[in-house]
Amino acid sequence: MPSANTKELNNALFAISQSLADRSQLASTLDAILVAARQLTMAKHGIIYVLDQTKKSLMPTAVHNEGKTQTDHAWQPLTLNALQDNDPFSYALQTGEVVLVNELYQYNGYNCSHIYEVELITRQQSQNLLAWPLINSQKQTVGLLVLLDMQVIDDEQSLTSFTQLAGASIHQAVLLEQYNATINLLSEDNKALLKENKQLKQRKTNDHSGPIAESDEMQQVLSRLQRILSLPVDVLLRGETGTGKEVVAKYIHENSTRASQPFIIQNCAAIPEQLLESELFGHKKGAFTGADKDKIGLFEAANGGTLFLDEIGDMPLLLQAKLLRILQERTLRPIGSTKEVHIDVRVIAATHCNLMEQIKQNRFRADLFYRLNVFPVTLPPLRERTKDILPLAEHFITLMSKQLTLAHSPVMSPRVRKQLTQYAYPGNVRELRNIVERAVLLSDFDIIDHIEINDEIAPQSFDSDNIVHAEFEHVAVDASTSLKEVVGNYEREVLLKYLNSYNWQTKRVADELGLPVSTLSHKMKKYDISAAC
């Protein structure tokens, strides 16, 4: 086999090093190395195996056949823990020595069966083979160079220099590729963080702080909402009157990608059917008596933003059909118009009704219900989220104090705080707000010491110290009365006072007195206390 001129080889080696230095991607670096190796040896075919990230296998990453790059080939990975001693590739990797087989299809002392199988598939028969381990500057094997059907064998010095350069270049390219992958991941994470930070800043600068959620029940609601805040999904809010559906709707809007666009509210039960149709869909001039000019409907006005339809269960059936079409097609036709208007609006509907019952009574369309019910959210009543009562009350006190321009917000007394947490709130958050605002107005603006519930002043006798002091003055003490009888009479009077104050709710009386319910029941039997007393 002929040899190349040493000077020509050195020039080629220099040109190859320059080519490798200019490449930053692993695939292009490997292709350049294989092209250069084939040029040095005038080889028809070649393979470069590269150690994978697990460092357990070498992958055939670059393959040339008849001078052409092959992406679909039959060469298999080399598993390091399954290498065979008599295989030329395995021997080169295990010993770190170069393997040169001059007569590949004659007996040469190596097991070349897997090479024969691949060449049978590719319909080629190479005369010779060279397997050269690629080692980096840390003396670590990073790959294997395989050349087949070579026409020139260069001097060993040039080939050694070339493979050293190739090993270092592959090691550098692998590190660079891993570095770039890490940079890309960090860049994506950084984009996500910037987006989240922007949303958080928008929340902080907004006057609306969203629903107060100290309770587990409301935390679950907000967790459910997090899944769709940035998605173009309509939402159905369900819950009793006064549970804060409008507040939650505004929270969804302000934490979505539509936050900079309009947020429009319409109560479907607040205006008559004829006016509601015009209000929602708009009308053209002359469409009906009194339509003296064009009017843009709320759907069109909310384009790009959010439309909150409160009390959707009270919407007339005729308008329900039109609403269904808008939700399905995202187009509307104003009254008196012949042109369709395309809209991009997120619809948040809310109701306190049981829509399934409304459907059974033919008062609500089933198809509209199933269209709205894609993502339902049920808001718990205030009596089921008692941990939120005091934070909500303090929030309403702060708002009322700002409205009244007070220097500071008044503070609730312990008794008032206890009263607030013990009430059931059939009107939910709306009723709590009314109670708190009234309490602020009736206070001295320093301390809120009493509240009015259901238009009645809550009993002032809830203070146990006042009860004890007042009742002790009325206990009859006779010289002939024993201490045990005096204490018994006193205890009976105190129990009666508490029971009357708490409307004979024994559990609340027991909690106030710090007694087990069983002990309170025993004392009531002992002193013959009943509601008839």
Side-chain angles (χ1 to χ4, degrees):
M1 197 175 290
S3 296
N5 184 278
T6 302
K7 184 177 180 180
E8 291 177 355
L9 289 175
N10 288 336
N11 290 337
L13 195 61
F14 176 76
I16 292 165
S17 66
Q18 291 296 106
S19 173
L20 295 177
D22 292 338
R23 298 176 184 268
S24 58
Q25 301 298 320
L26 179 60
S28 57
T29 298
L30 295 176
D31 189 67
I33 291 173
L34 192 51
V35 168
R38 288 181 42 252
Q39 287 177 350
L40 282 174
T41 59
M42 297 181 65
K44 293 182 179 179
H45 322 294
I47 315 154
I48 293 183
Y49 288 87
V50 177
L51 190 65
D52 66 2
Q53 291 186 359
T54 66
K55 301 188 182 303
K56 294 181 180 180
S57 301
L58 284 94
M59 311 301 294
T61 310
V63 177
H64 287 183
N65 186 18
E66 297 288 350
K68 297 179 180 179
T69 301
Q70 303 293 311
T71 55
D72 186 15
H73 54 80
W75 296 101
Q76 298 297 313
L78 303 176
T79 304
L80 294 180
N81 60 5
L83 296 177
Q84 301 176 2
D85 293 338
N86 59 346
D87 174 87
F89 295 174
S90 300
Y91 184 84
L93 291 170
Q94 289 177 328
T95 63
E97 298 178 2
V98 179
V99 174
L100 176 63
V101 179
N102 286 313
E103 299 294 339
L104 184 58
Y105 282 85
Q106 294 184 10
Y107 177 76
N108 50 51
Y110 293 104
N111 179 7
C112 300
S113 57
H114 70 287
I115 301 173
Y116 300 155
E117 291 173 1
V118 174
E119 291 212 323
L120 182 62
I121 295 172
T122 57
R123 297 181 180 179
Q124 65 191 46
Q125 188 170 339
S126 302
Q127 292 183 351
N128 48 49
L129 175 145
L130 176 69
W132 200 306
L134 299 175
I135 301 172
N136 63 15
S137 57
Q138 285 79 39
K139 307 300 181 182
Q140 298 170 334
T141 300
V142 295
L144 179 70
L145 171 65
V146 177
L147 298 171
L148 295 159
D149 222 354
M150 298 170 288
Q151 302 300 316
V152 175
I153 290 294
D154 301 320
D155 62 279
E156 185 178 350
Q157 182 178 358
S158 295
L159 283 174
T160 301
S161 300
F162 170 78
T163 53
Q164 288 175 348
L165 175 62
S169 299
I170 290 174
H171 180 65
Q172 183 179 1
V174 168
L175 292 178
L176 190 57
E177 186 171 77
Q178 293 174 352
Y179 172 77
N180 287 335
T182 303
I183 289 296
N184 289 335
L185 287 174
L186 291 174
S187 178
E188 292 299 321
D189 290 343
N190 189 47
K191 288 179 181 178
L193 287 172
L194 287 174
K195 182 178 179 180
E196 183 178 356
N197 189 41
K198 184 178 179 181
Q199 291 177 344
L200 290 173
K201 284 181 178 179
Q202 287 177 346
R203 292 187 203 179
K204 188 174 181 181
T205 55
N206 255 323
D207 292 334
H208 177 69
S209 57
I212 289 174
E214 298 290 333
S215 64
D216 293 339
E217 292 79 7
M218 279 303 293
Q219 286 290 342
Q220 291 173 6
V221 169
L222 296 187
S223 176
R224 180 176 174 86
L225 288 174
Q226 286 295 326
R227 301 174 182 273
I228 51 90
L229 286 178
S230 300
L231 300 178
V233 178
D234 297 331
V235 181
L236 176 62
L237 301 178
R238 304 180 299 197
E240 298 177 6
T241 299
T243 50
K245 294 185 283 292
E246 183 178 326
V247 173
V248 172
K250 196 172 183 182
Y251 169 80
I252 295 172
H253 172 75
E254 291 184 347
N255 291 276
S256 71
T257 55
R258 301 172 181 264
S260 59
Q261 300 301 318
F263 175 72
I264 297 178
I265 302 170
Q266 177 60 55
N267 189 312
C268 299
I271 54 179
E273 177 179 347
Q274 296 79 6
L275 295 179
L276 181 59
E277 182 178 9
S278 173
E279 194 72 15
L280 290 176
F281 311 128
H283 64 254
K284 304 298 289 184
K285 180 180 179 180
F288 51 83
T289 303
D292 55 351
K293 60 181 179 180
D294 291 350
K295 174 181 173 61
I296 295 177
L298 296 183
F299 271 100
E300 197 171 349
N303 196 31
T306 304
L307 177 60
F308 176 52
L309 298 177
D310 200 4
E311 303 302 348
I312 191 73
D314 295 322
M315 176 178 280
L317 284 170
L318 178 62
L319 296 188
Q320 291 179 28
K322 294 187 175 183
L323 175 60
L324 175 63
R325 183 176 181 276
I326 290 175
L327 295 178
Q328 290 177 338
E329 305 296 334
R330 298 294 165 175
T331 61
L332 63 85
R333 184 184 301 165
I335 301 171
S337 175
T338 59
K339 295 182 179 180
E340 297 283 348
V341 177
H342 292 273
I343 56 169
D344 173 24
V345 176
R346 168 183 251 173
V347 174
I348 302 176
T351 181
H352 70 281
C353 303
N354 185 329
L355 293 182
M356 292 303 295
E357 288 297 324
Q358 296 278 83
I359 292 172
K360 291 178 183 178
Q361 298 171 15
N362 295 321
R363 297 173 60 185
F364 199 84
R365 294 178 62 101
D367 47 7
L368 177 58
F369 169 74
Y370 292 119
R371 183 63 185 80
L372 288 172
N373 203 45
V374 173
F375 196 86
V377 178
T378 302
L379 303 185
L382 189 56
R383 62 182 175 274
E384 294 180 5
R385 41 182 290 213
T386 53
K387 288 185 179 179
D388 293 328
I389 292 175
L390 293 180
L392 282 167
E394 290 170 352
H395 174 66
F396 296 143
I397 290 171
T398 301
L399 293 180
M400 191 63 177
S401 300
K402 289 181 179 179
Q403 184 178 341
L404 299 174
T405 64
L406 301 179
H408 59 83
S409 300
V411 179
M412 292 180 288
S413 69
R415 182 178 63 236
V416 166
R417 296 171 72 90
K418 187 172 184 179
Q419 288 174 266
L420 288 174
T421 56
Q422 291 176 338
Y423 183 54
Y425 298 100
N428 292 294
V429 179
R430 186 180 293 118
E431 183 181 9
L432 172 63
R433 180 167 190 167
N434 292 339
I435 291 171
V436 170
E437 289 180 349
R438 183 163 58 244
V440 172
L441 293 173
L442 295 174
S443 72
D444 60 2
F445 299 146
D446 285 323
I447 297 177
I448 300 175
D449 197 41
H450 70 278
I451 57 175
E452 293 180 357
I453 297 178
N454 288 337
D455 297 327
E456 295 181 1
I457 300 177
Q460 295 296 305
S461 54
F462 283 7
D463 192 328
S464 58
D465 291 338
N466 292 340
I467 292 177
V468 171
H469 180 72
E471 291 307 312
F472 186 75
E473 292 178 348
H474 292 86
V475 174
V477 180
D478 190 277
S480 61
T481 306
S482 67
L483 177 62
K484 184 177 181 180
E485 290 174 330
V486 172
V487 172
N489 291 336
Y490 166 69
E491 189 172 32
R492 186 178 189 278
E493 292 293 333
V494 171
L495 291 177
L496 279 170
K497 188 65 176 180
Y498 268 94
L499 287 166
N500 287 322
S501 298
Y502 286 100
N503 198 24
W504 290 82
Q505 298 181 44
T506 54
K507 187 177 186 308
R508 291 181 62 185
V509 172
D511 291 340
E512 183 68 25
L513 294 174
L515 297 173
V517 176
S518 58
T519 302
L520 176 61
S521 299
H522 172 74
K523 289 182 179 293
M524 290 174 66
K525 290 179 181 179
K526 176 182 176 181
Y527 297 121
D528 192 23
I529 296 174
S530 66
C533 293

